[in-house]
Amino acid sequence: MSKKCDCENIREKFLSGMFEQECEVSKLLQELELCEECKKFASGLISFWKSLNELTTLFDESLPKIDITGEVLERLKDLRNKETNVREIIGKEIDSPEEADWYSFIEGKLDDVTKYRCLSKLSLSQCVQREVERLKQVHQQLEELGDNIFYPELDEDLLPKVMARVFTYKGNTLPPESTEKEAIALLEKELMEISEETEYPISTSGEKVRKPDNVVTSGKIKVFRKPLEKSGRKQVTDHSNVYWFPRKVLPKILTFAAGILLTLFGIYWFLLRDFSVTTAPKALTSNKPIPTVRETERYKIIPPPSFLNDSEGFTSDNDREDDTKLPKKYIAKPLSEWEDILKENALVNAGKLMRMGTWASLTPEEARELLKKSGLSPLAVLGAVQFLPPEEAKVVLEAAIANNPEDAYLRFAMVNTLKNMDNIDYEELSAHLTAWTNSDPSNVLPYYMEANIYLRNGEVDSALACVKEANNLQGYNSYASLTAQAYKEALIAKGIDPQLADLLASASLGVRETQTLDEIAHNLLYYGKYYEEIGDYDTALMIYDALRNLGVNVDMSSDLLQERLAGVKYAQEAIYALIRLMTQTYSFSDIQSYIAFLQDLNQLLTNYNNALISFYELFDKLDPQQIIQLLNIYLTTGNVNIMLPSGQSATAK
Amino acid sequence: MQNLASGKNEEGYQLGFSDEALMALVTKGEERAFVELVQRYQNELFRFCYHYLKNIEMAKECVQEVFLRVYIARDRYDTSKKFKPWLFCIARNLCINEIKRQQLVQFSSLEGEDGFQIHETEEIVEKVNSGENHPGEMVLKEERYKVLWEEINKLPEDEKEIVVLRYFQKLHARDIAEIIGTTEGAVRTRLHRTLRYLYQKMANRGEFNE
């Protein structure tokens, strides 16, 4: 019996097997025991399948072939490229505020609003917290790496080379073998050209300051006198610590100051060229005493006032000393007769009035004769002593000091006398200097005079010790009024008309004192320059500072216009020297205060010159009697402020 | 008055005048101010140029040329702007020109002709060792610095320049922006991305533990 055919199941299996796997159809026909009907179904189905395959083949062959794979791949590639480009653009150009803020947050440089925003985000997201912490670590390590990184050291100062290039650029050719020193020298030259408004012979001359033959550079510091206790000092404004100068205004003020300086120095130099403190210091290079102004040629080129240039008078101080053939007869005419001549001469050249005091003096012989007279007032004696040779003056002064040992003026006169002797007795000089400072403890003049004596001997250390002491004091007294009054008394005792004596004495007021100051300032400047050139800047600084203090003290303490002018000039020269020193050493810390100080000094110069001009203009405006009255006041006080128009004061302090 | 003999005060050359005020003085012909600026910046500028040129003599030469350019261009300087970025911008341009002229590849490597990297690494090790850290920590730090250094050298030129200016020259982002001619925000953004990049690189090399 044939196997019973499960037709329905067999036909399902046959269909699914045929569609899923064609190779199964023949297997199925062998494995299955099909009934006849199923066999017909299978053969019909196989025939249909084959026809279908043939039809498919026929379709494949008849339809055109299409391949879009390459196109699709190409388009995909384009898309990828565009995305890359966009990412690159974003990466390069974008200025992402958020990322920038996060970096600022990591750096710790963030404004409060952004910081709050960042902190808010941090509090909301642990993921952001982690990232910020990571970036902070990298940032910290980069900072450490930057701190510890090794750089090759710059093994030379490039400034000289840079400046050499600058000078070459500006057309100032520098020698090929230019050294640092030459470059700096050129720089200094340039700088001095900028400030050429100053008449400053030592610094602008370009000459080397020779080492003084007698300089003692080592050894113990010697001080003549016992140190004094500081007391009773006037308060002087210390400009060195003032830093008010606004930076932005500095260039304008520099330009303005240069203009003012040019103008003022023109006037000042014209009026006071006789008081130059920067003439070549011949005496410093030898052991000879520094010549007094009288010994120099300053006055030789200046004609004497015409009213003294007659057959009976002497023509000049030198002529008076050297030419004894001239009659020693003084003019004793009423002042009214001299009025016109006086006015004419005084106004032609303002300096003439001041020089009159130098010419109108006594010869030693006249002074001796005068001292022989009985009944001379003490002032007349002192006046006559001024014209004696030092050895004789010393004897007179010793007698006077014996009677008045506490008198500061007598000590001053004695010191002046002793220092002009051929063989200076330093112990004696020391004793009088000590007595002088004891009598007038706040006066800086004895200290500077002592320093000057040391400088003349080349004992710089000792001189600096004196200067240091003087720097602690604030006061200056040259006893100029007393000297002038003594001079006047001597002239009157000699028989000169009292009014003319007044005039001559007032005209001489401050002249000799300024000469003494000139000598001191001259020496200080010279030694300052010397130490500057050998590179001992600290010593140079100290010396220039001393000169500045001297100038300030003189200006602050003296009533004499001439002395004040001199003081201002010394202070100015000291400031210029200090600025030059700073330029040399590239130290600009105090330059602002110095410039401010210079401005004050310039203002003083203006005021003093105005006062002087007003003083001379009086001769045009006043009658002789008024002139005499004013001269008397001037002789007593030394102050010309009284002659200024109302509201104008020469004292600009 | 400070120590005149040495030419310096207690603060070196950092005196009262700002760079801009000094430059204003230079424009007025005050060459002392120019001297001050040279003294103030020659060392810093030398290091800056050295980073680009990687040669000591060339860097010196460049510094001199930079200051000459500053002097020549003094009248064109805008005193309302900061001096330092202006100075470094001139220096950067000169360095890049010099590199181009000599056909060098700028920032191709921070290892210079003068053995910069070798010295630097030794120096870093020396400095780390001189600290008070634990020896183990020191070794780790040393290793981390080396890795970081290598990764900085692999950075694209632009990014490397910013990193060098910010972390080695210690310039502010604002100044860097002025020097390289972009915005401060862009500099900060790029620095932020560079930090992320460096972190990833360092983490891949096992230098950071999560």
Side-chain angles (χ1 to χ4, degrees):
Chain A
M1 191 174 155
S2 63
K3 190 178 176 180
K4 190 181 176 181
C5 178
D6 186 0
C7 295
E8 191 175 347
N9 287 333
I10 287 173
R11 288 177 185 180
E12 278 185 11
K13 281 183 181 177
F14 191 81
L15 273 173
S16 62
M18 190 181 67
F19 280 106
E20 287 173 2
Q21 279 184 322
E22 191 181 356
C23 62
E24 298 289 327
V25 176
S26 56
K27 257 187 182 178
L28 282 172
L29 285 173
Q30 291 172 4
E31 288 174 1
L32 297 174
E33 291 179 1
L34 301 176
C35 64
E36 287 301 320
E37 286 185 2
C38 287
K39 283 180 182 175
K40 286 180 183 175
F41 174 79
S43 62
L45 194 61
I46 290 168
S47 172
F48 172 74
W49 182 252
K50 284 180 180 174
S51 300
L52 191 62
N53 282 338
E54 286 171 1
L55 188 62
T56 304
T57 307
L58 188 64
F59 265 111
D60 284 347
E61 289 172 354
S62 60
L63 288 173
K65 291 183 179 177
I66 299 170
D67 185 4
I68 60 169
T69 311
E71 189 181 346
V72 170
L73 289 175
E74 193 65 29
R75 291 186 67 179
L76 282 173
K77 190 179 173 184
D78 282 349
L79 283 173
R80 286 196 195 102
N81 285 342
K82 283 178 182 172
E83 184 187 356
T84 307
N85 288 340
V86 170
R87 286 183 185 281
E88 281 179 4
I89 290 167
I90 290 171
K92 280 188 177 176
E93 298 298 331
I94 198 166
D95 178 2
S96 162
E98 192 168 345
E99 287 184 288
D101 287 347
W102 279 120
Y103 184 77
S104 299
F105 182 80
I106 291 164
E107 267 193 325
K109 297 172 182 173
L110 212 54
D111 63 86
D112 289 342
V113 176
T114 317
K115 188 176 180 181
Y116 176 76
R117 204 163 57 229
C118 289
L119 287 172
S120 300
K121 285 186 181 177
L122 280 176
S123 65
L124 294 173
S125 168
Q126 287 189 348
C127 180
V128 175
Q129 281 178 25
R130 277 198 299 274
E131 173 155 330
V132 167
E133 283 306 314
R134 291 168 186 161
L135 299 189
K136 272 187 176 176
Q137 287 181 51
V138 182
H139 171 77
Q140 183 62 33
Q141 288 189 14
L142 281 169
E143 289 279 19
E144 287 176 12
L145 188 59
D147 291 339
N148 293 313
I149 196 164
F150 167 81
Y151 287 100
E153 293 293 329
L154 184 57
D155 54 1
E156 63 175 314
D157 185 2
L158 295 178
L159 177 65
K161 289 182 176 176
V162 171
M163 295 316 293
R165 288 190 184 208
V166 169
F167 284 124
T168 306
Y169 163 73
K170 292 170 69 181
N172 293 337
T173 52
L174 206 69
E177 65 277 9
S178 64
T179 61
E180 179 177 346
K181 195 174 179 182
E182 286 168 327
I184 291 171
L186 271 175
L187 171 65
E188 185 180 358
K189 186 183 168 191
E190 288 272 322
L191 295 174
M192 293 317 295
E193 282 172 5
I194 291 169
S195 56
E196 64 185 353
E197 66 272 16
T198 63
E199 47 93 17
Y200 205 62
I202 283 184
S203 56
T204 54
S205 64
E207 293 174 4
K208 291 285 178 188
V209 175
R210 286 179 296 161
K211 179 182 178 180
D213 297 337
N214 51 3
V215 166
V216 179
T217 54
S218 60
K220 283 171 65 178
I221 293 177
K222 293 186 287 184
V223 182
F224 276 155
R225 290 162 285 106
K226 295 173 186 174
L228 291 167
E229 293 183 1
K230 304 168 188 173
S231 60
R233 294 169 204 153
K234 281 198 278 184
Q235 293 300 313
V236 179
T237 307
D238 182 7
H239 296 268
S240 63
N241 293 322
V242 180
Y243 284 86
W244 61 272
F245 204 66
R247 291 172 187 171
K248 290 188 176 178
V249 182
L250 181 62
K252 291 179 182 175
I253 291 185
L254 276 172
T255 311
F256 177 71
I260 291 289
L261 278 173
L262 275 169
T263 308
L264 291 180
F265 269 96
I267 300 168
Y268 185 52
W269 181 236
F270 174 74
L271 292 176
L272 295 178
R273 58 181 180 271
D274 300 332
F275 300 99
S276 170
V277 296
T278 51
T279 315
K282 293 176 185 173
L284 287 174
T285 56
S286 70
N287 287 321
K288 293 177 183 176
I290 291 176
T292 61
V293 176
R294 199 179 284 184
E295 293 169 294
T296 68
E297 295 183 353
R298 273 182 204 166
Y299 294 100
K300 284 185 178 174
I301 57 169
I302 303 165
S306 56
F307 62 90
L308 288 175
N309 196 12
D310 60 12
S311 61
E312 293 183 337
F314 47 80
T315 54
S316 74
D317 187 43
N318 290 307
D319 290 341
R320 177 177 56 75
E321 287 186 351
D322 300 337
D323 188 358
T324 52
K325 292 182 288 184
L326 288 172
K328 308 295 184 297
K329 186 178 178 183
Y330 279 94
I331 306 152
K333 295 180 181 178
L335 184 63
S336 57
E337 291 185 26
W338 299 108
E339 181 189 344
D340 292 339
I341 304 169
L342 173 67
K343 285 169 66 176
E344 181 187 341
N345 283 281
L347 294 172
V348 165
N349 185 342
K352 281 184 179 176
L353 183 66
M354 298 303 149
R355 292 184 202 109
M356 282 164 57
T358 307
W359 286 307
S361 56
L362 306 181
T363 64
E365 190 180 336
E366 287 167 342
R368 280 184 211 111
E369 285 178 8
L370 188 62
L371 287 168
K372 286 175 187 172
K373 288 183 181 176
S374 60
L376 281 181
S377 68
L379 272 179
V381 172
L382 287 174
V385 164
Q386 294 174 25
F387 305 104
L388 285 175
E391 290 75 13
E392 294 175 45
K394 181 187 168 191
V395 175
V396 178
L397 286 171
E398 278 175 344
I401 287 170
N403 288 328
N404 299 288
E406 304 298 323
D407 192 311
Y409 179 74
L410 288 176
R411 299 288 182 178
F412 160 72
M414 180 60 100
V415 168
N416 260 332
T417 301
L418 291 176
K419 78 182 176 64
N420 288 329
M421 292 177 74
D422 287 336
N423 298 312
I424 299 175
D425 183 342
Y426 287 104
E427 285 189 9
E428 190 178 7
L429 189 57
S430 170
H432 286 295
L433 279 165
T434 305
W436 180 10
T437 50
N438 286 337
S439 303
D440 193 359
S442 63
N443 192 358
V444 297
L445 185 57
Y447 292 90
Y448 278 97
M449 287 183 73
E450 183 179 350
N452 195 40
I453 292 164
Y454 281 128
L455 288 179
R456 283 166 59 168
N457 291 333
E459 297 174 43
V460 182
D461 292 340
S462 302
L464 292 178
C466 296
V467 158
K468 277 182 186 173
E469 286 190 59
N471 282 349
N472 295 324
L473 300 175
Q474 291 173 348
Y476 166 84
N477 188 1
S478 63
Y479 317 101
S481 294
L482 200 55
T483 304
Q485 284 174 37
Y487 172 50
K488 185 184 86 170
E489 291 297 323
L491 291 177
I492 292 171
K494 177 62 188 166
I496 290 178
D497 181 278
Q499 288 183 331
L500 185 57
D502 258 352
L503 178 62
L504 294 174
S506 61
S508 75
L509 202 58
V511 173
R512 290 181 180 80
E513 290 77 10
T514 311
Q515 288 168 3
T516 304
L517 283 175
D518 276 353
E519 184 187 323
I520 294 168
H522 182 192
N523 286 349
L524 287 174
L525 266 181
Y526 182 80
Y527 274 93
K529 182 69 177 171
Y530 166 70
Y531 282 104
E532 189 182 333
E533 292 213 343
I534 64 170
D536 187 351
Y537 296 121
D538 289 334
T539 305
L541 171 68
M542 188 191 298
I543 292 174
Y544 290 145
D545 228 22
L547 180 59
R548 186 188 64 154
N549 286 337
L550 173 65
V552 170
N553 273 322
V554 170
D555 177 46
M556 296 291 289
S557 306
S558 176
D559 284 329
L560 287 180
L561 186 61
Q562 290 86 349
E563 281 190 311
R564 282 190 184 179
L565 276 166
V568 170
K569 182 171 180 178
Y570 306 148
Q572 269 191 330
E573 297 214 23
I575 296 297
Y576 283 118
L578 287 167
I579 290 174
R580 185 181 66 236
L581 200 61
M582 287 190 288
T583 306
Q584 258 182 285
T585 55
Y586 316 119
S587 172
F588 300 95
S589 59
D590 293 331
I591 209 160
Q592 294 176 24
S593 59
Y594 283 145
I595 291 168
F597 192 15
L598 275 178
Q599 285 183 308
D600 288 350
L601 295 176
N602 292 338
Q603 185 59 48
L604 286 175
L605 267 180
T606 308
N607 293 344
Y608 290 162
N609 276 303
N610 286 340
L612 204 59
I613 290 165
S614 301
F615 179 73
Y616 295 126
E617 283 176 351
L618 288 173
F619 291 99
D620 270 342
K621 297 173 184 171
L622 299 178
D623 61 48
Q625 199 55 43
Q626 285 177 304
I627 290 175
I628 293 301
Q629 285 174 1
L630 285 174
L631 286 178
N632 276 331
I633 298 171
Y634 176 53
L635 191 57
T636 307
T637 66
N639 193 342
V640 296
N641 281 343
I642 52 171
M643 301 176 187
L644 290 176
S646 172
Q648 184 180 353
S649 170
T651 314
K653 294 185 272 287
Chain B
M1 178 78 61
Q2 285 70 28
N3 184 8
L4 279 168
S6 67
K8 294 179 180 179
N9 65 0
E10 293 170 357
E11 302 165 2
Y13 287 101
Q14 301 300 315
L15 303 175
F17 288 96
S18 68
D19 297 341
E20 292 73 29
L22 285 172
M23 201 54 204
L25 286 173
V26 173
T27 60
K28 301 286 182 189
E30 182 56 80
E31 288 181 2
R32 283 171 291 190
F34 183 70
V35 169
E36 170 75 2
L37 285 171
V38 175
Q39 293 285 12
R40 208 176 266 192
Y41 279 108
Q42 60 175 331
N43 285 301
E44 204 173 338
L45 207 54
F46 169 73
R47 287 199 297 271
F48 182 87
C49 295
Y50 183 82
H51 267 299
Y52 285 88
L53 301 170
K54 297 176 276 295
N55 178 290
I56 290 175
E57 290 308 315
M58 282 170 64
K60 282 185 191 175
E61 180 68 22
C62 189
V63 169
Q64 295 170 45
E65 192 60 27
V66 169
F67 281 118
L68 178 63
R69 298 287 178 98
V70 167
Y71 187 84
I72 292 170
R74 64 193 184 283
D75 293 332
R76 296 197 297 275
Y77 173 70
D78 180 358
T79 50
S80 64
K81 294 189 174 175
K82 287 181 74 178
F83 171 74
K84 189 175 175 181
W86 184 66
L87 176 74
F88 280 53
C89 189
I90 293 173
R92 178 177 181 263
N93 291 337
L94 275 176
C95 288
I96 290 172
N97 287 344
E98 181 63 21
I99 291 165
K100 283 178 184 170
R101 195 176 69 81
Q102 300 205 6
Q103 298 182 330
L104 295 175
V105 181
Q106 56 175 323
F107 282 97
S108 59
S109 166
L110 289 176
E111 184 173 0
E113 293 176 11
D114 302 304
F116 177 51
Q117 189 176 24
I118 295 167
H119 288 170
E120 181 272 325
T121 308
E122 288 170 354
E123 187 76 10
I124 288 171
V125 173
E126 195 176 302
K127 291 199 174 186
V128 171
N129 286 343
S130 65
E132 295 176 352
N133 294 329
H134 188 272
E137 289 178 12
M138 288 189 291
V139 172
L140 282 175
K141 267 194 171 182
E142 177 192 334
E143 184 59 32
R144 194 167 289 173
Y145 283 141
K146 283 179 182 173
V147 172
L148 188 56
W149 185 256
E150 288 170 14
E151 291 303 332
I152 291 170
N153 273 316
K154 291 177 189 170
L155 285 171
E157 300 303 326
D158 292 348
E159 309 308 323
K160 193 186 294 178
E161 182 181 29
I162 289 184
V163 169
V164 166
L165 293 177
R166 168 62 187 83
Y167 290 103
F168 298 164
Q169 295 290 335
K170 303 289 180 188
L171 292 170
H172 296 297
R174 191 186 307 114
D175 294 344
I176 296 171
E178 284 193 44
I179 291 169
I180 66 174
T182 185
T183 63
E184 183 182 353
V187 171
R188 291 189 182 281
T189 303
R190 287 163 67 179
L191 280 167
H192 183 255
R193 290 175 184 175
T194 306
L195 288 186
R196 268 203 311 227
Y197 174 85
L198 286 174
Y199 175 81
Q200 287 298 332
K201 292 293 179 184
M202 300 277 284
N204 290 343
R205 295 176 65 162
E207 291 302 327
F208 288 113
N209 297 319
E210 291 291 337

